[in-house]
Amino acid sequence: MPAAIEEHRDAGQPIALAELVGRARPLVIRGLCRDWPMVAWARRSDTAFAQGLAALDDGSEVDALLMPPEEGGVIGYNAAFDSFNYAHHRVSITQGLQRLAQYSRQPDAPGLAMQSALISACLPGLLDDHAVPFLERSIQPRIWIGNQVTTPAHFDEYHNVACVVCGVRRFTLFAPEQARNLYVGPLDFAPTGAAISIARLDRPDDPRYPRLKLALAEAQVAELHPGDAIYIPPMWWHHVESLERINALVNYWWKPVPAGGYAPNTALGCLMRCILAFRSLPPAERAAWKALLDHYVFDDEDPAAHIPADRRGILGPLTPEQLAELRETIRRYL
């Protein structure tokens, strides 16, 4: 049986952001957003929730994925593995909600998911009354709305707080080191842009993916209801199942910038470059580069401790001017 994700019950004991980020492990925060108006609408009914959102919809179009019924709501690849199993559309929030209401009356409905829509761009009237107390207002929330859709295990490079506001979502999480057991698809050809596990968690006996059972033995699981939230650390794989006829989630992604440090928007390009640069080298040469990467990047010990502070270059704090110069140097290398 998978382990339960550790929980914090937000009953008069708010959690601090530093504590959340410092733990480097997932945490369910029960009741974090229980007082949000959206949550109150959802507790009344799906209709009340949809009417509340539609009243604030400014008509802007958002991304929507539509899957035929035979896909069972699981986002992924088509049978030939040369495309994806959904059609991409642009719709307003209200149009998507109307389609969800129609599908809720069908026994074998298509899967529909409105994805990663910036609330400031489509539902700006929600911003004032739907804040997370320990997050800066500059962190832009996004809303995800759909029916019984599953997003297979994938990772984000950002810290993530996700708040369920309607329906029920089941989160199954895996630590970063489980990547080899999840049978991840192509990095550069992935549904919605995020590399996903192509092994179905509900099919653990599939002979094509024998190591999946090893991942499932280490999985952590939680079901979240309206008002509940979850913190997912960067690089943790998360598989998300939406279990009701209408489900909605609001999430916040951010990257802390260390004092005197630099936080790139994405490091995925670095991973791809490393694959090109190191993967095909002879074993001894690859091991030598691994030792250098461990020394300069992954070890906790400061590799520049013996160098005068003003001569540490890339190994020390960088000014904006130094960063610009360094980026230009990297471009010349590439």
Side-chain angles (χ1 to χ4, degrees), residues 283-297:
E285 196 173 347
R286 195 165 67 242
W289 279 107
K290 181 177 183 298
L292 278 180
L293 287 168
D294 285 341
H295 177 63
Y296 283 107
V297 180

Side-chain angles (χ1 to χ4, degrees), residues 10 31-39 119 125-141 161 163 165 227 229 250-252:
D10 186 39
L32 177 67
C33 51
R34 60 180 177 271
D35 297 327
W36 282 6
M38 272 194 291
V39 172
I119 288 178
L126 290 176
L127 292 174
D128 287 342
D129 298 328
H130 296 81
V132 172
F134 53 76
L135 294 179
E136 296 180 8
R137 287 295 185 118
S138 60
I139 300 172
Q140 290 285 301
V161 169
C163 308
V165 294
V250 172
N251 90 297
Y252 302 77

